Amino acid sequence: MGGSCAQRRRVGRGQVLFLFLLPLFYPALCEPIRYSIPEELPKGSVVGNLAKDLQLSVLDVSARKLRVSAEKLHFSVDADSGDLLVKDRIDREQICRERRRCELQLEAVVENPLNIFHIIVMIEDINDHAPQFDKKKIHLEILESVSTGVRIPLDPAIDSDIDLNSIQDYQISPNPHFSLIVRVNSDGGKYPELSLEKLLDREEQRSHRLILTALDGGDPPRSATAQIEIFVKDTNDNPPVFSKDEYRISLSENVPPGSPVLQVTATDEDEGINAEINYHFRSTAQSTRHMFSLDEKTGMIKNNHSLDFEDIERYTMEVEAKDGGGLSAHCKVIIEILDENDNSPEVIITSLSDQILEDSPPGTVVALFKTRDRDFGGNGEVTCKIGGDLPFKIYSSSNNYYKLVTDGTLDRELTPEYNVTITATDKGTPPLSSSTTITLHVGDVNDNAPVFQQAAYVAHVAENNAPGASIAQVSASDPDLGPNGQVAYSIVASDLEPRALASYVSVGAQSGVVYAQRAFDHEQLRAFALTLQARDQGAPARGANVSLRVLVGDRNDNAPRVLHPAPGPDGAALLDTVPRAAEPGYLVTKVVAVDADAGHNAWLSYHVLQASDPGLFSLGLRTGEVRTARALGDRDAARHRLLVAVRDGGQPPLSATATLHLVFADSLQEVLPDLQDRPAPADARAELQFYLVVALALVSVLFLLAVILAIALRLRHSSGRAAWGCFQSALGSKAGPVVQPNYSEGSLPYSYNLCVAQTGKTEFNFLKCSAPLHSTQDTGDSNSPGALIPLHDGDDLTSHPETLTLQAPPNTDWRFSQAQRPGTSGSQNGDETGTWPNNQFDTEMLQAMILASASEAADGSSTLGGGAGTMGLSARYGPQFTLQHVPDYRQNVYIPGSNATLTNAAGKRDGKAPAGGNGNKKKSGKKEKK
């Protein structure tokens, strides 16, 4: 419970009684304990028995650790007796200084329990300080003419003690002329005063000496003395006299500050202080007192600042000379200022045009100004001129007024502003001059047309760009200012259709950025030209045109398109036959593909993705030609499937796939027995029963229909064989069922309709017959190895060849040699190393064949064998290879290392007729033996 009168803590059993009695003494203990001692007690003096006053026993003093605390500890507690002792010197004047009441506050602290008691020690004053005078000698001056009864105050003495120990009285040594009077103030302080009792006479006694004594009230009293020396002053009965009543002087204005100007003198017949003269300005303007100074002792007048004749031509002042007795005399001083050429001429602009148009004619007034020189006479006459080779002149208008006019043509674009320095010079000696520079701004006139940074612009933009994207930026500069230099852009002409121009491009009127309004297609639009105009906002406006050619770059956005092998009209895949005796390198077929892109994006390569026998066939990387890699072995399968991927050269590349079905057979009749030997799939046994029942039902229905039709045909002898041609051929042919060929409009000039049995997972065969075709031409030999059989995905040939209806192949004159096979390099074997073919007519040969086939299909003049102009394409690839509307992509293909593209060479094609039709997959010798 720190800070309270009695703090409590846990105590022992012996102190329980004290705790019960403590409340009885509580009011007394809360009151502070007071002691009173005189100052300057020696160390160890007893102030009082603190333990007794606190009602503590001697044992409690050490047991409870009695001690005192204060901010500055002057006391201590005796641990044996409990007395409060003086620990340090106690000086009341030092501790309490000017305070009348001097008290020291202490805290007595005891423990077990912890208690704090307040103690106040009153310090009483003793007479330990004697009075003191500030000055041991006091000097006084008194005129001899002073009357009696005059009181002269004296400085009192000082005593640090208080009350009775302070100063109580003053005494003075006996003197017939002076007496001492002690004055008491309201605060009780006493002050001595000297009173003149008798007139003084300087001639009789020049000075007087007195002893002043100060006494305090101590016992015994203490005192201090001071010596008073009084000097009698003489009476001033003679005034000062000046040497002149008026001083006049002429002074140049160029006199530097602090220079002596004039000295005035006065004399006095008195002696001593009455003869000492001081000089002062009297009745003088403040400006003159500020400009000049007067030495009080010597009477010398000096200038404090520079003089200026143009400000003040004359200064008038009055000087007073006063002696020590108070008598004075006066004189007048006149200072005239002489003019010097110390002011440079000034150029003052009175009127100035903010802007001068660059088409202003010569003689246009630009500015009006005047000159001023504060000097007089020749020092104030001024002439003006301008420096530098500037298109301006100065004309004098009137007295000290001038005009600045143009003196040549102005061009803001060359010099937008002029700094004209006008120099004014006076005729003083030496002449003074000053310069003033004015800035003249040349105003703009629309005299410059916009100029494009380039004579023509070319922009490259890739196709499939985002609509609204910027494709180019044109920039034109106009050196004019403001609206005359603000350029706006627009499109004024284009090689595009005017109505469609806004849907293709637009231009930012302020930025000159050309934006694409749609996504461009390189295959449709490769380049177009624009004429842009930059036009300023001047009046009249000026403009300039520039051409911008936009080149649409190609991107690999078109995948290759496979032209051959193409699926049949019903979506079935085609089947190519290969002679069993084919030697290595024999051209089996060719994958033909085109790409609508250009450059590397249209550079095609052919790759085998899947092959039933990878080592049996090879594929040309660039030609797409499928050749035999080795001879057919006895253990090799007769039917093969190749999955070919066609990739372009784009990044990333795009691709397409083509599926080739190849069968080794010397005649078409051998194809079916060879294919029916394939084992049934292992997973078809579960459905065998179901398909067996369905097959038996279908056979029964077909047999019943055949009997009904046979009876109906015997009963009817009318026409209509054409509608039942498929069944009539099946009934009347010994070699097998035959379907008559028919021609299809818009395709190649022949067609085969094959009735092929389709095989499901259970190897049961179903007859699928195409629509009957009508033709007046003969059919080909069924033994031709070039016959094509359409196969649907997932379909297999039946194991019962007697159920198939086969079409006889055409005559052998439609065959073509390997040099005539279609492809990008049809006339020659392609380069298998992956390099681009060197013969540029390979692609042209394919185009020629496509166009020739389309022409033959259109006029229907071709035979089944195929003419020389078609190179046997019609007979080779059958009715499914319809090339009438194939686009010409030769312009998209470029030769690496060259910027040339393949072009049409119709003349060369027409001049070289392809060879005859001996290019069947099976050699003619083999067929004759067969």
Side-chain angles (χ1 to χ4, degrees), residues 1-2 4 6-11 19 22-23 26 113-115:
M1 300 174 60
S4 63
Q7 298 182 355
R8 301 184 221 174
R9 290 188 179 180
R10 288 189 179 179
V11 297
L19 292 177
L22 183 62
Y26 183 79
L114 178 63
N115 291 322

Side-chain angles (χ1 to χ4, degrees), residues 14-242:
Q15 297 175 343
V16 174
L17 181 61
F18 177 77
L19 292 177
F20 282 103
L21 296 178
L22 183 62
L24 300 177
F25 300 98
Y26 183 79
L29 295 177
C30 289
E31 293 294 332
I33 301 174
R34 296 180 179 273
Y35 296 100
S36 178
I37 62 172
E39 62 175 334
E40 301 295 342
L41 283 179
K43 293 181 181 180
S45 300
V46 177
V47 177
N49 193 326
L50 181 60
K52 181 179 179 181
D53 294 334
L54 294 178
Q55 299 179 359
L56 298 177
S57 63
V58 177
L59 298 178
D60 290 336
V61 172
S62 77
R64 299 187 63 185
K65 298 179 181 179
L66 175 64
R67 63 186 182 277
V68 293
S69 64
E71 181 177 353
K72 187 175 182 181
L73 194 59
H74 293 278
F75 304 94
S76 63
V77 177
D78 189 349
D80 296 331
S81 62
D83 293 333
L84 182 65
L85 305 179
V86 176
K87 181 181 179 182
D88 197 0
R89 177 174 178 264
I90 300 176
D91 187 356
R92 191 201 66 83
E93 288 76 23
Q94 182 180 1
I95 296 174
C96 298
R97 299 184 183 278
E98 302 295 333
R99 294 199 305 269
R100 291 281 181 180
R101 187 180 182 87
C102 184
E103 296 178 349
L104 293 180
Q105 295 184 357
L106 308 175
E107 285 80 26
V109 181
V110 293
E111 297 181 0
N112 299 319
L114 178 63
N115 291 322
I116 297 176
F117 303 93
H118 299 283
I119 302 172
I120 296 177
V121 180
M122 180 72 68
I123 308 300
E124 297 179 355
D125 183 53
I126 63 174
N127 192 20
D128 56 343
H129 293 87
Q132 292 181 354
F133 286 99
D134 290 340
K135 297 179 180 179
K136 294 297 182 180
K137 290 184 178 181
I138 302 174
H139 297 278
L140 299 177
E141 292 182 355
I142 303 176
L143 291 175
E144 59 179 339
S145 60
V146 174
S147 61
T148 59
V150 175
R151 294 185 178 185
I152 302 173
L154 300 176
D155 293 336
I158 299 174
D159 195 335
S160 300
D161 297 326
I162 60 173
D163 298 335
L164 294 177
N165 296 325
S166 63
I167 297 176
Q168 299 296 323
D169 193 14
Y170 290 94
Q171 295 178 359
I172 192 173
S173 59
N175 187 280
H177 295 279
F178 299 95
S179 65
L180 185 64
I181 299 175
V182 178
R183 181 171 56 85
V184 180
N185 288 343
S186 59
D187 58 354
K190 297 180 180 180
Y191 299 89
E193 291 182 353
L194 195 63
S195 176
L196 181 62
E197 301 294 336
K198 183 180 178 180
L199 293 176
L200 300 175
D201 187 357
R202 186 186 67 84
E203 290 74 21
E204 180 181 355
Q205 187 176 356
R206 300 177 64 89
S207 63
H208 300 270
R209 288 180 174 85
L210 303 175
I211 302 298
L212 178 62
T213 302
L215 299 173
D216 60 18
D219 186 17
R222 308 185 74 170
S223 64
T225 60
Q227 184 178 357
I228 301 175
E229 188 172 2
I230 302 174
F231 296 95
V232 181
K233 297 179 63 178
D234 183 36
T235 302
N236 187 23
D237 53 356
N238 293 294
V241 177
F242 279 100

Side-chain angles (χ1 to χ4, degrees), residues 828-898:
Q828 298 176 358
N829 294 335
D831 187 2
E832 299 297 335
T833 61
T835 59
W836 191 265
N838 293 326
N839 190 351
Q840 67 176 351
F841 296 106
D842 291 347
T843 306
E844 297 175 1
M845 293 288 289
L846 172 60
Q847 186 69 18
M849 290 188 292
I850 294 171
L851 297 177
S853 300
S855 299
E856 292 173 2
D859 56 22
S861 61
S862 175
T863 64
L864 285 175
T870 64
M871 297 183 294
L873 276 176
S874 301
R876 172 61 176 159
Y877 293 103
Q880 289 76 14
F881 191 54
T882 302
L883 305 176
Q884 181 177 358
H885 303 290
V886 177
D888 183 7
Y889 295 110
R890 289 171 299 161
Q891 68 276 13
N892 295 348
V893 181
Y894 71 92
I895 301 173
S898 172

Side-chain angles (χ1 to χ4, degrees), residues 561-845:
R561 185 161 63 93
V562 178
L563 301 181
H564 179 269
D570 54 355
L574 299 181
L575 183 66
D576 284 341
T577 60
V578 184
R580 293 183 180 273
E583 297 178 356
Y586 176 80
L587 178 61
V588 177
T589 185
K590 184 171 185 177
V591 180
V592 181
V594 293
D595 195 319
D597 294 322
H600 276 283
N601 295 332
W603 192 4
L604 303 180
S605 60
Y606 301 84
H607 309 272
V608 176
L609 294 182
Q610 293 180 2
S612 58
D613 190 348
L616 188 56
F617 299 96
S618 63
L619 178 64
L621 179 64
R622 297 298 176 185
T623 62
E625 295 178 349
V626 179
R627 298 177 180 270
T628 57
R630 58 179 174 82
L632 181 66
D634 297 337
R635 297 183 179 181
D636 293 331
R639 184 176 183 272
H640 295 273
R641 178 177 176 271
L642 291 180
L643 181 60
V644 178
V646 183
R647 297 192 185 98
D648 56 23
Q651 291 296 332
L654 300 178
S655 62
T657 59
T659 303
L660 300 178
H661 296 278
L662 306 177
V663 178
F664 284 88
D666 292 332
S667 64
L668 185 62
Q669 286 78 4
E670 296 181 8
V671 175
L672 299 179
D674 185 39
L675 296 178
Q676 71 182 0
D677 295 336
R678 292 188 301 117
D683 57 352
R685 297 177 180 178
E687 301 179 2
L688 178 60
Q689 228 173 8
F690 172 76
Y691 287 112
L692 180 60
V693 175
V694 174
L696 289 175
L698 290 176
V699 170
S700 300
V701 173
L702 290 176
F703 176 76
L704 180 60
L705 291 177
V707 172
I708 294 174
L709 288 176
I711 296 173
L713 289 175
R714 288 183 180 274
L715 295 177
R716 295 184 60 183
H717 298 281
S718 60
S719 61
R721 297 175 59 89
W724 302 88
C726 182
F727 295 99
Q728 291 172 356
S729 300
L731 295 174
S733 178
K734 296 180 179 180
V738 177
V739 179
Q740 297 294 330
N742 191 15
Y743 294 99
S744 173
E745 184 179 357
S747 62
L748 296 179
Y750 54 88
S751 176
Y752 297 105
N753 292 327
L754 302 180
C755 297
V756 181
Q758 298 181 353
T759 304
K761 294 183 179 180
T762 59
E763 292 293 337
F764 282 88
N765 301 328
F766 302 93
L767 183 62
K768 181 178 180 182
C769 184
S770 62
L773 303 175
H774 304 280
S775 175
T776 58
Q777 297 182 3
D778 298 334
T779 61
D781 186 5
S782 62
N783 294 328
S784 173
L788 300 179
I789 300 176
L791 295 177
H792 295 278
D793 295 339
D795 295 345
D796 294 330
L797 296 178
T798 179
S799 60
H800 304 280
E802 66 274 7
T803 63
L804 297 177
T805 303
L806 299 177
Q807 177 187 0
N811 296 330
T812 57
D813 56 357
W814 64 271
R815 302 177 189 150
F816 55 92
S817 64
Q818 294 185 9
Q820 296 171 335
R821 293 183 183 272
T824 57
S825 185
S827 60
Q828 298 176 358
N829 294 335
D831 187 2
E832 299 297 335
T833 61
T835 59
W836 191 265
N838 293 326
N839 190 351
Q840 67 176 351
F841 296 106
D842 291 347
T843 306
E844 297 175 1
M845 293 288 289

Side-chain angles (χ1 to χ4, degrees), residues 343-363:
N343 291 280
S344 299
E346 300 177 43
V347 177
I348 302 173
I349 306 299
T350 59
S351 178
L352 179 63
S353 298
D354 294 338
Q355 213 172 44
I356 313 168
L357 294 180
E358 56 183 332
D359 58 351
S360 299

Side-chain angles (χ1 to χ4, degrees), residues 349 418-422 435-439:
I349 306 299
Y418 291 92
N419 293 322
V420 181
T421 301
I422 303 173
S435 300
T436 299
T437 301
I438 59 175
T439 301

